């Protein structure tokens, strides 16, 4: 190698390196292959950080291997892959510097890099020259297995809320760079392994200033090109056990060295593959070399009412937790590995809790996770979850416990471990006692946590069985606790708990058979089994959140959907979820087509009617002849037979349609049925004389040969072929014979993952029944498939176990393609071996049938075309007639408008005349009123005068009478004639004369009074007549005004207004 080591095209610009989970870096496994892999994320890759990029990490690693490691490390890395080893250099000891040429290149998979300056020179001093280390930007230290970067300035640190946000990191970088007043010169030491520590050193005395473990560093970023921060980089770290996040900012004197520093961080993020290389021929393991020991401790904390949570006490003698009733609690689990090579815990998959002991997985209830991550010393992994004991699920451990009794409580934690195929579940069973919430607790010397030791045995996965895109290296062979081991030792016939994990070669225990009806030879009726709609509140909330997000973007399935579907869709939500999975959320056109199709005649009507009565006879909705269920089922089958003329109705479709009808209306059920037949490829099984179905049988037999070879050989010995027992499995999707709970779960998986799920379920059925089938002959096997097998899964627990097994089986699609090609080759060979005449006759018959079908389709299309043309011509004629009628109506409307305008003018003139006449009558009435008012006033004046006159006369008469009476009393003679009252005392003759005189006077006065009364009555009569005339005039005036007002609102005026409006709109459109 020359003195000037050329580092191939390294571009330097805005880089960022981040982790993908909450605490640790997600690592990809790389196998020990001597050739650098060009397939990112493949099995051949080395362990590295999953980071976004557009190029190849191997390309950059190859180009930078001259400067990443010192030649002195070569002897220590003999077991490393060639891509990691440092080539020997031919540099002389007298050489003081090496010029490294940096030119732009594509970005690579470890760092997001953009080209910057095309030609820059970066001096590096050799590691042998210790005196000049200050001027070297990177000096490896072999004994510490790290790389030193000098000429750096520490700009400071600050707290951040989003530790993995590049935007916030760049913002804090800009702030700290601009506000830094006293920069600190430092040297940074970056380790080569994930177990190392990043150290800040004083360049003068080489003493440590600060250190940050790699597992606490969450994110690395550098400044954008063209900005003042282009020579800066920063990393964020979790401070005080992930409760606080801080960012540290550095500036590099040599700007081009920033990219190399970030690459060193990316290298440190990888788990060190050089410490445990995967050789082609691994050494023989000792019996315990594949066993990993873990110590798991459980601590329960309760709310102390002061805003804090305190650990609950634990009775020493009985080893049970004392819990208070109705108090919020927290579960804290600490997992620490005690032996063997360290396994990296990526995250907690779930924290579960259930009252009782030996509980089923379905009885466990998920707790809300509050935090997860490594402890401050990095030796253990801590998970904290909140527990609300007042929920109905935990009622058993929230009721006061009698003093002579204890309860059991089961806690489980699922952990995702790097390189292990599936989550690892640690199960802790503890005793608890529930006390009243008011009881005081004393625990000054009690042990507050429960600790259990677990032994995890891993089995390495063969290279050929490993997924192409997976970084898993191991699968769980067994997991047992110390308590289980002790129980096994102390019991004479121990009952060993079967591990939750299984490999393809492991023995799968058969589910227990149901107690009832097992000795009955009658097959299970289709449509059997009850499916409960009850579901856990937490599960419904999870599904509700997912569906709400899914409805925002129906074109993209949510990421958590497959995992939830594998656990089974809640029965109450299946109708909606199935339609969304099938893509029937916008099926208005299909609904319209269905309503048309059900009115058409089907050539297979008799076959449909015959099968309807045999579909789900055990279900209440379909058992009544002529009922709603059978009617809807008949319509769907008939509509599909008309819709898909090539396939039509095939026996078995009614079972699938019935399953859909149990969850949605018939229009939506028809839409989903069409999607399953066309988009999911089910109709392909019915085409070309069931050619694709026979291919599926061949694929199933080849899978049996690989996964269940002993059962496969047994079937060969008894001449049992796949089509003899699996036809209904494929054609009806298991809906014809199996209980509904299992059927619905299979449809869940089918709509989510595709028709290949049939192979998973079929292999699961064969695996669980292997022991029984190996004991049968040909007739017994057929009977077993027909009778016993469906009955085994009437139990919901058995069906759940089967579906869990089916979901856990990984069937490679490439393998299915390979088997399909094998089948086609075999068919071709069979075709070549048979008689050509027979082959040609068969091909001729097939072509004749296809020709007849195409001719029929052509006739139908021609008939439809002619019918469409006739309909279009008829519609066109109708449109022209309608246009002519509208034109005539428009002319008539215009004429009516002219007439209406003339009528309007005439009515306006009449209204003006009426107004004038009313005005004259009103003036006349006002004059008459004034005249009557003057008469009334005169009459009142006369009456008052007459009254005064009468009073004066009465006073005068009285005075005269008194005067006469006085004279009479003064005369003696007159006194004799008159009494004191004024009456005469004379003889009757004189009395008669006096009375006659008085009568005459009275008559005269009465006559005058009658005349005055008559005159008064006439005056009153005239007054009343005047008032009546005034009222008549007012009435006439009101009628006239009403007539004028009504004239303005006649229908004719309204017609004129509407015509004007229509004419105005048409005028605008014309213009």
């Amino acid at each position: 190698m020359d003195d000037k080591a050329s580092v191939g095209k390294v571009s330097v610009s805005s880089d960022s390196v981040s982790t993908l989970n909450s605490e640790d870096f997600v690592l990809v496994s790389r196998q020990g292959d001597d050739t650098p892999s060009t397939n990112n994320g493949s099995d051949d890759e080395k362990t590295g950080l999953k980071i976004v990029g557009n190029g190849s990490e191997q390309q950059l690693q190859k180009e930078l291997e001259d400067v990443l490691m010192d030649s002195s490390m070569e002897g220590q890395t003999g077991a490393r892959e060639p891509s990691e080893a440092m080539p020997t250099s031919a540099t002389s000891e007298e050489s003081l510097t090496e010029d490294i040429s940096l030119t732009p290149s594509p970005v690579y998979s470890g760092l997001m890099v953009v080209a910057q300056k095309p030609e820059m020179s970066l001096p590096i001093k050799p590691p042998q020259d210790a005196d000049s280390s200050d001027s070297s930007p990177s000096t490896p230290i072999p004994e510490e297995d790290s790389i030193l970067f000098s000429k750096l300035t520490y700009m400071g640190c600050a707290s951040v809320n989003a530790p993995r946000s590049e935007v916030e990191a760049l913002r804090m970088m800009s702030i700290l760079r601009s506000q830094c007043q006293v920069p600190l010169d430092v040297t940074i030491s970056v380790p080569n392994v994930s177990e190392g520590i990043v150290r800040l050193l004083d360049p003068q005395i080489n003493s440590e200033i600060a250190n940050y473990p790699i597992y606490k560093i969450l994110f690395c970023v550098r400044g954008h090109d063209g900005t003042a921060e282009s020579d800066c980089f920063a990393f964020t770290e979790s401070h005080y056990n992930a409760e606080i996040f801080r960012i540290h900012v550095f500036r590099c004197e040599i700007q081009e060295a920033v990219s190399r520093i970030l690459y060193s961080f990316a290298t440190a993020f990888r788990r060190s593959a050089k410490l445990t290389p995967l050789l082609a021929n691994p050494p023989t393991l000792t019996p315990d070399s594949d066993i990993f020991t873990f110590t798991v401790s459980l601590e329960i904390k309760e709310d102390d009412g002061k805003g804090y949570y305190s650990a609950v006490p634990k009775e020493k003698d009985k080893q049970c937790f004392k819990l208070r009733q109705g108090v919020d609690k927290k579960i804290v689990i600490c997992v620490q590995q005690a032996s063997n090579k360290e396994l990296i815990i990526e995250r907690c998959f779930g924290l579960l809790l259930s009252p009782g002991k030996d509980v089923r997985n379905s009885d466990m209830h998920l707790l809300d996770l509050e935090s997860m991550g490594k402890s401050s010393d990095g030796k253990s992994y801590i998970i904290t979850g909140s527990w609300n004991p007042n929920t109905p699920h935990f009622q058993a451990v929230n009721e006061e416990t009698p003093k002579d009794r204890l309860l059991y409580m089961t806690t489980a934690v699922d952990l995702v471990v790097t390189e292990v195929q599936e989550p690892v579940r640690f199960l802790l069973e503890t005793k608890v006692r529930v006390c009243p919430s008011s009881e005081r607790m004393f625990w000054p010397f009690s042990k507050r946590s429960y600790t259990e030791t677990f032994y995890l045995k891993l089995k390495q996965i063969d290279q050929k069985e490993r997924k192409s895109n997976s970084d898993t290296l191991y699968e769980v062979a067994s997991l047992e606790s110390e308590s289980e081991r002790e129980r096994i030792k102390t019991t004479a016939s121990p009952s060993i708990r079967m591990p939750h994990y299984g490999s393809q070669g492991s023995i799968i225990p058969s589910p227990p058979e149901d107690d009832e009806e097992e000795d009955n030879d009658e097959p299970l009726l289709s449509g059997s089994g009850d499916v409960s709609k009850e579901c856990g509140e937490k599960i419904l909330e999870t599904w509700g959140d997912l569906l709400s997000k899914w409805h925002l973007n129906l074109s993209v399935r949510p990421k958590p959907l497959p995992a939830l579907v594998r656990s089974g869709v809640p029965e109450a939500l299946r109708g909606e979820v199935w339609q969304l999975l099938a893509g029937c959320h916008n099926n208005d056109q299909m609904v319209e087509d269905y309503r048309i199709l059900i009115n058409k005649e089907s050539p297979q009507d008799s076959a449909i009617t015959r099968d309807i009565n045999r579909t789900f006879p055990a279900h209440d909705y379909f058992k009544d002849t002529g009922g709603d269920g059978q009617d809807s089922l008949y319509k769907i089958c008939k509509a599909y037979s008309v819709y898909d003329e090539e396939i039509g109705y095939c026996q078995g479709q009614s079972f699938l349609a019935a399953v859909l009808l149990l969850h949605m209306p018939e229009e939506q059920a028809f839409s989903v049925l069409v999607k399953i037949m066309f988009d999911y490829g089910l109709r392909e099984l019915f085409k070309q004389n069931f050619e694709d179905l026979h291919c599926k049988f061949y694929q199933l037999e080849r899978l049996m040969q690989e996964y269940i070879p002993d059962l496969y050989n047994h079937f060969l010995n008894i001449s049992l072929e796949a089509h003899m027992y699996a036809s209904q499995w494929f054609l009806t999707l298991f809906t014809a014979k199996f209980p509904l709970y299992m059927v619905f779960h299979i449809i869940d998986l089918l709509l989510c993952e595709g028709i290949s799920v049939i192979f998973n379920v079929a292999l699961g059925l064969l695996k669980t029944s292997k022991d029984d089938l190996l004991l049968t002959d040909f007739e017994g096997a057929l009977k077993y498939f027909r009778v016993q097998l469906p009955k085994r899964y009437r139990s919901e627990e058995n069906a759940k176990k089967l579906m869990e097994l089916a979901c856990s089986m990984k069937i490679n699609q490439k393998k299915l393609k390979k088997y399909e090609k094998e089948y086609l080759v075999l068919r071709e060979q069979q075709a070549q071996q048979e008689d050509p005449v027979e082959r040609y006759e068969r091909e001729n018959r097939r072509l004749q049938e296809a020709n007849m079908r195409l001719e029929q389709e052509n006739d139908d299309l021609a008939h439809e075309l002619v019918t469409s043309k006739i309909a279009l011509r008829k519609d066109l004629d109708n449109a022209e007639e309608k246009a002519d009628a509208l034109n005539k109506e428009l002319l008539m409307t215009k004429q009516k408008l002219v007439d209406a305008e003339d009528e309007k003018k005439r009515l306006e003139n009449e209204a003006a005349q009426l107004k004038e006449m009313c005005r004259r009558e009103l003036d006349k009435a006002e004059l008459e009123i004034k005249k009557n008012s003057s008469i009334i006033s005169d009459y009142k004046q006369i009456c008052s005068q007459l009254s005064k006159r009468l009073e004066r006369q009465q006073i005068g008469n009285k005075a005269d009478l008194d005067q006469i009476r006085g004279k009479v009393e003064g005369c003696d003679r007159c006194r004799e004639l008159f009494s004191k009252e004024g009456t005469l005392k004379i003889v009757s003759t004189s009395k008669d004369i006096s009375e006659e005189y008085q009568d005459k006077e009275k008559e005269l006065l009465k006559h005058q009074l009658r005349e005055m009364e008559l005159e008064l009555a006439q005056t009153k009569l005239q007054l009343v007549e005047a008032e009546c005339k005034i009222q008549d005039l007012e009435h006439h005036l009101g009628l006239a005004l009403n007539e004028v007002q009504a004239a303005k609102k006649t229908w004719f005026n309204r017609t004129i207004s509407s015509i004007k409006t229509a004419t105005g709109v048409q005028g605008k459109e014309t213009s």
Side-chain angles (χ1 to χ4, degrees):
M1 186 176 180
D2 296 334
D3 291 342
K4 294 185 178 181
S6 174
V7 181
K9 308 175 177 180
V10 181
S11 42
V12 281
S13 152
S14 175
D15 312 335
S16 63
V17 181
S18 174
T19 59
L20 299 180
N21 57 26
S22 64
E23 185 64 26
D24 300 321
F25 294 98
V26 176
L27 302 174
V28 232
S29 171
R30 306 187 182 184
Q31 305 305 322
D33 198 326
D34 291 340
T35 58
S37 172
T38 58
N39 180 18
N40 294 343
S42 71
D43 291 339
D44 297 330
E45 274 189 311
K46 299 173 190 167
T47 304
L49 179 66
K50 287 184 180 178
I51 36 188
V52 180
N54 298 325
S56 170
E57 187 181 76
Q58 287 72 27
Q59 174 189 354
L60 181 72
Q61 185 173 358
K62 184 177 179 181
E63 293 170 345
L64 286 182
E65 60 187 4
D66 292 345
V67 295
L68 284 180
M69 303 177 187
D70 187 82
S71 60
S72 62
M73 298 173 63
E74 183 178 1
Q76 303 175 9
T77 56
R80 302 179 189 176
E81 291 82 4
S83 60
E84 286 189 41
M86 175 67 189
T88 57
S89 174
T91 57
S92 71
E93 296 182 359
E94 291 79 18
S95 173
L96 296 179
T97 60
E98 293 179 350
D99 292 332
I100 299 175
S101 175
L102 298 176
T103 57
S105 80
V107 294
Y108 55 90
S109 159
L111 309 168
M112 294 168 50
V113 183
V114 186
Q116 190 175 341
K117 299 182 181 179
E119 292 292 338
M120 294 297 294
S121 177
L122 177 64
I124 295 184
K125 293 194 176 182
Q128 290 86 355
D129 191 356
D131 297 332
S132 58
S133 62
D134 290 342
S135 62
S136 173
S138 65
T139 305
I141 303 178
E143 59 272 13
E144 293 186 0
D145 198 12
S146 62
I147 299 178
L148 292 181
F149 294 93
S150 61
K151 291 199 174 182
L152 302 178
T153 303
Y154 182 67
M155 311 303 295
C157 71
S159 297
V160 290
N161 295 323
R164 293 183 180 85
S165 170
E166 185 175 357
V167 176
E168 185 167 355
L170 292 174
R171 182 177 65 84
M172 297 306 300
M173 185 187 298
S174 175
I175 293 173
L176 291 175
R177 191 183 192 283
S178 61
Q179 294 181 355
C180 181
Q181 298 179 354
V182 185
L184 177 65
D185 293 334
V186 296
T187 297
I188 188 169
S189 170
V190 182
N192 290 328
V193 293
S194 61
E195 294 83 2
I197 297 175
V198 176
R199 304 178 189 276
L200 298 187
L201 306 175
D202 188 336
Q204 302 297 329
I205 58 176
N206 203 29
S207 63
E208 183 177 308
I209 301 174
N211 62 74
Y212 312 99
I214 282 293
Y215 70 85
K216 283 198 170 188
I217 296 178
L218 307 178
F219 187 74
C220 297
V221 67
R222 66 160 296 172
H224 281 219
D225 185 24
T227 64
E229 296 79 32
S230 60
D231 58 349
C232 295
F233 72 94
F235 63 81
T236 58
E237 53 106 8
S238 59
H239 194 54
Y240 294 118
N241 196 19
E243 295 180 358
I244 301 174
F245 302 102
R246 297 194 306 188
I247 183 170
H248 301 268
V249 180
F250 301 85
R251 183 172 61 84
C252 188
E253 184 174 326
I254 302 175
Q255 181 177 342
E256 287 72 22
V258 177
S259 295
R260 293 178 52 199
I261 295 173
L262 260 69
Y263 183 78
S264 297
F265 271 100
T267 305
F269 291 158
R270 305 191 195 103
R271 186 166 59 259
S272 178
K274 57 198 173 191
L275 297 179
T276 56
L278 299 173
L279 303 178
N281 297 317
T284 304
L285 297 176
T286 62
D288 293 331
S289 62
D290 55 350
I291 296 179
F292 299 78
T293 306
F294 287 87
T295 301
V296 182
S297 62
L298 168 66
E299 187 178 32
I300 304 177
K301 296 183 177 182
E302 285 185 344
D303 188 1
D304 59 2
K306 301 176 183 178
Y308 300 97
Y309 283 81
S310 303
V312 300
K314 193 160 171 262
E315 295 181 2
K316 291 183 179 181
D317 52 347
K318 297 182 180 179
Q319 290 295 309
C320 74
F321 290 103
K322 293 186 68 175
L323 309 179
R324 287 187 296 169
Q325 186 179 7
V327 179
D328 290 341
K329 300 173 179 62
K330 285 186 179 181
I331 301 293
V332 181
I333 291 183
C334 180
V335 182
Q336 184 172 358
Q337 185 175 345
S339 70
N340 215 326
K341 185 190 77 172
E342 182 181 1
L343 296 177
I344 305 299
I345 299 175
E346 292 184 5
R347 65 184 182 277
C348 174
F349 190 75
L351 181 61
L352 302 101
L353 186 69
S354 175
K357 182 181 179 183
D358 296 327
V359 297
R360 299 178 298 177
N361 292 335
S362 59
D363 294 333
M364 302 291 289
H365 303 288
L366 199 63
L367 299 182
D368 293 332
L369 288 175
E370 288 192 354
S371 65
M372 67 180 80
K374 287 190 175 181
S375 59
S376 56
D377 58 1
K379 294 181 179 180
S380 58
Y381 197 86
I382 300 175
I383 305 101
T384 304
S386 60
W387 170 21
N388 181 10
N390 296 315
T391 56
H393 308 305
F394 307 120
Q395 186 66 29
V397 289
N398 195 36
E399 296 177 348
E400 186 175 352
T401 310
K403 293 185 178 180
D404 57 344
R405 188 173 159 222
L406 295 176
L407 299 175
Y408 276 91
M409 182 181 76
T410 303
T411 309
V413 59
D414 293 331
L415 298 178
V416 178
V417 181
T418 304
E419 298 185 348
V420 179
Q421 188 174 23
E422 49 192 335
V424 180
R425 170 168 290 187
F426 295 105
L427 208 65
L428 301 171
E429 294 179 346
T430 57
K431 300 175 184 178
V432 296
R433 171 175 289 166
V434 183
C435 307
S437 58
S438 59
E439 182 173 336
R440 297 185 62 184
M441 301 291 187
F442 300 95
W443 58 89
F445 305 106
S446 63
K447 186 179 180 181
R448 303 179 189 175
S449 63
Y450 169 82
T451 303
E452 181 70 272
T453 303
F454 289 86
Y455 301 96
L456 174 66
K457 185 174 183 179
L458 298 181
K459 176 184 175 183
Q460 188 165 341
I461 304 176
D462 294 335
Q463 180 74 24
K464 61 180 181 179
E465 295 180 358
R466 196 175 308 150
K467 294 182 184 177
S468 58
N469 296 326
S470 174
D471 59 350
T472 57
L473 302 177
Y474 307 99
E475 63 180 359
V476 177
S478 66
L479 175 64
E480 58 182 354
S481 64
E482 184 70 25
S483 301
E484 288 176 330
R485 286 191 172 186
E486 292 296 330
R487 203 159 47 237
I488 292 171
K489 293 178 182 179
T490 55
T491 54
S493 58
S495 175
I496 302 177
R497 179 179 299 174
M498 293 301 296
H500 181 66
Y501 315 88
S503 62
Q504 294 169 353
S506 61
I507 298 176
I508 306 299
S510 299
E513 299 181 357
D514 290 335
D515 296 333
E516 54 181 349
E517 298 184 15
E518 281 303 322
D519 55 348
N520 191 348
D521 290 341
E522 290 298 323
L524 189 68
L525 292 177
S526 63
S528 300
D530 295 327
V531 182
S532 174
K533 290 191 176 183
E534 294 182 1
C535 183
E537 185 177 351
K538 189 68 176 180
I539 297 175
L540 287 177
E541 289 179 1
T542 304
W543 272 100
D545 295 340
L546 182 137
L547 289 175
S548 61
K549 294 178 182 177
W550 196 355
H551 280 292
L552 297 177
N553 187 5
L554 293 173
S555 60
V556 179
R557 289 184 178 181
K559 290 183 179 179
L561 181 64
L564 290 175
V565 171
R566 290 189 188 102
S567 301
V569 180
E571 177 65 15
L573 301 176
R574 274 200 168 104
E576 179 183 3
V577 174
W578 284 1
Q579 293 182 57
L580 292 174
L581 287 171
C584 296
H585 46 273
N586 187 13
N587 58 345
D588 295 339
Q589 183 59 44
M590 188 64 70
V591 171
E592 285 297 321
D593 294 343
Y594 173 76
R595 292 169 181 168
I596 296 172
L597 292 171
I598 58 177
N599 295 317
K600 294 184 178 181
E601 293 297 328
S602 171
Q604 297 158 311
D605 189 86
S606 59
I608 296 172
T609 305
R610 183 175 62 252
D611 285 348
I612 292 302
N613 293 324
R614 298 185 289 189
T615 304
F616 283 7
H619 200 282
D620 294 338
Y621 187 58
F622 298 103
K623 68 180 182 181
D624 295 333
T625 303
D628 293 339
Q630 290 195 5
D631 182 59
S632 298
L633 188 58
Y634 169 77
K635 289 180 182 178
I636 291 180
C637 295
K638 175 185 174 183
Y640 185 81
S641 67
V642 178
Y643 179 83
D644 189 358
E645 295 180 355
E646 181 182 2
I647 300 298
Y649 171 78
C650 296
Q651 191 174 18
Q653 287 179 356
S654 59
F655 293 100
L656 179 58
V659 169
L660 299 175
L661 267 176
L662 291 174
H663 295 90
M664 59 194 78
E666 57 186 71
E667 293 86 354
Q668 284 73 25
F670 174 75
S671 302
V672 177
L673 177 63
V674 171
K675 286 285 186 179
I676 292 176
M677 295 295 291
F678 282 83
D679 295 356
Y680 287 81
L682 185 59
R683 71 187 299 270
E684 300 298 322
L685 303 181
F686 299 91
K687 293 173 63 176
Q688 298 179 1
N689 199 21
F690 299 97
E691 187 68 25
D692 193 59
L693 178 62
H694 289 288
C695 179
K696 293 288 190 292
F697 292 152
Y698 178 80
Q699 290 173 321
L700 178 59
E701 289 179 340
R702 293 287 282 116
L703 290 171
M704 285 181 61
Q705 186 178 2
E706 179 179 353
Y707 290 95
I708 326 173
D710 47 355
L711 185 61
Y712 172 77
N713 294 327
H714 178 69
F715 282 0
L716 286 180
N717 294 333
I718 64 176
S719 301
L720 184 66
E721 299 178 0
H723 68 84
M724 298 177 182
Y725 59 86
S727 298
Q728 281 191 343
W729 295 358
F730 285 93
L731 294 178
T732 68
L733 304 179
F734 301 92
T735 58
K737 293 296 182 184
F738 289 91
L740 291 181
Y741 178 86
M742 175 179 165
V743 169
F744 294 165
H745 202 159
I746 292 173
I747 301 299
D748 294 342
L749 296 172
L750 172 86
L751 293 172
C752 183
E753 301 183 8
I755 200 169
S756 62
V757 168
I758 300 177
F759 293 109
N760 296 66
V761 180
L763 286 177
L765 287 170
L766 294 170
K767 270 194 173 185
T768 54
S769 307
K770 182 181 71 172
D771 295 340
D772 296 330
L773 288 170
L774 288 174
L775 303 176
T776 60
D777 56 4
F778 179 81
E779 295 294 337
L782 290 180
K783 180 181 178 181
Y784 183 87
F785 280 115
R786 184 174 60 89
V787 180
Q788 279 87 10
L789 184 62
K791 288 184 177 180
R792 299 178 69 133
Y793 299 101
R794 289 176 299 180
S795 167
E796 186 174 321
E797 181 65 24
N798 292 348
K800 281 185 178 179
K801 290 180 180 179
L802 172 66
M803 298 314 298
E804 288 176 2
L805 175 61
C807 293
S808 66
M809 300 181 68
K810 308 299 180 183
I811 298 178
N812 196 336
Q813 295 298 321
K814 292 182 180 179
K815 196 172 292 184
L816 292 178
K817 290 290 184 183
K818 175 186 173 184
Y819 296 157
E820 182 179 357
K821 291 180 181 178
E822 290 179 4
Y823 174 78
L824 295 176
V825 171
L826 289 175
R827 292 290 293 174
E828 186 67 25
Q829 292 175 355
Q830 291 177 0
Q832 292 176 359
Q833 292 174 0
E834 69 177 347
D835 187 4
V837 176
E838 294 180 359
R839 185 170 71 251
Y840 291 144
E841 287 179 352
R842 187 176 66 254
E843 185 68 17
N844 185 39
R845 286 194 299 271
R846 188 181 64 81
L847 291 175
Q848 285 179 351
E849 291 175 358
N851 184 46
M852 292 177 62
R853 187 179 70 255
L854 292 174
E855 287 180 353
Q856 181 64 35
E857 291 179 0
N858 184 46
D859 293 341
D860 294 341
L861 290 173
H863 177 69
E864 187 177 352
L865 178 62
V866 173
T867 305
S868 300
K869 285 185 177 180
I870 293 174
L872 288 173
R873 181 71 258 180
K874 186 177 180 180
D875 293 342
L876 181 61
D877 293 340
N878 292 335
E880 289 178 351
E881 291 177 1
K882 191 173 182 179
D884 294 339
L886 290 173
N887 287 330
K888 291 179 182 178
E889 187 176 352
L890 178 62
L891 293 174
M892 293 174 62
T893 304
K894 288 182 178 179
Q895 184 62 39
K896 287 180 180 179
L897 177 62
V898 174
D899 296 340
E901 289 179 348
D902 295 340
E903 184 68 18
K904 178 185 176 184
K905 291 179 181 178
R906 186 181 64 79
L907 290 174
E908 286 178 350
N909 293 332
E910 289 182 359
Q913 293 175 3
L914 282 173
K915 286 182 180 179
E916 185 64 28
M917 183 181 67
C918 290
R919 191 177 295 108
R920 288 198 300 269
E921 290 294 331
L922 184 61
D923 294 340
K924 188 184 296 184
E926 288 178 352
L927 293 174
E928 188 70 24
I929 289 171
K930 289 180 180 179
K931 181 177 178 183
N932 291 333
S933 298
S934 61
I935 291 172
I936 291 170
S937 61
D938 292 342
Y939 174 76
K940 288 180 177 181
Q941 187 176 2
I942 292 171
C943 289
S944 61
Q945 291 176 359
L946 290 174
S947 297
K948 292 178 180 178
R949 180 179 172 187
L950 179 60
E951 289 177 358
R952 285 198 301 272
Q953 287 181 354
Q954 287 178 351
I955 293 171
N957 292 335
K958 187 175 181 180
D960 292 339
L961 184 59
D962 292 337
Q963 186 178 4
I964 292 171
R965 190 175 291 165
K967 289 181 178 181
V968 170
E969 289 179 356
C971 179
D972 296 333
R973 185 180 179 183
C974 293
R975 188 184 303 116
E976 294 176 356
L977 295 175
F978 292 95
S979 64
K980 292 182 178 180
E981 291 80 8
T983 58
L984 293 175
K985 297 180 181 180
I986 56 174
V987 291
S988 58
T989 305
S990 58
K991 287 182 181 179
D992 292 338
I993 294 172
S994 177
E995 288 176 358
E996 185 178 356
Y997 175 75
Q998 290 178 357
D999 289 339
K1000 287 181 180 180
E1001 188 175 1
K1002 287 180 181 179
E1003 288 293 334
L1004 180 61
L1005 291 174
K1006 286 181 181 180
H1007 180 68
Q1008 291 180 354
L1009 182 59
R1010 276 197 299 273
E1011 288 181 353
M1012 292 178 65
E1013 289 177 350
L1014 182 61
E1015 186 178 359
L1016 179 59
Q1018 289 177 353
T1019 304
K1020 287 183 179 180
L1021 181 61
Q1022 290 177 356
L1023 178 60
V1024 171
E1025 289 177 354
E1027 288 178 353
C1028 291
K1029 193 175 290 185
I1030 291 171
Q1031 288 178 358
D1032 289 338
L1033 290 175
E1034 289 178 350
H1035 179 66
H1036 287 307
L1037 178 61
L1039 290 175
L1041 292 175
N1042 290 336
E1043 288 177 0
V1044 172
Q1045 190 69 21
K1048 292 181 180 180
K1049 297 181 181 179
T1050 58
W1051 66 269
F1052 202 63
N1053 278 347
R1054 288 196 296 271
T1055 304
I1056 292 171
S1057 301
S1058 62
I1059 292 172
K1060 280 185 178 182
T1061 305
T1063 307
V1065 172
Q1066 292 178 357
K1068 290 180 181 179
E1069 293 177 353
T1070 305
S1071 60

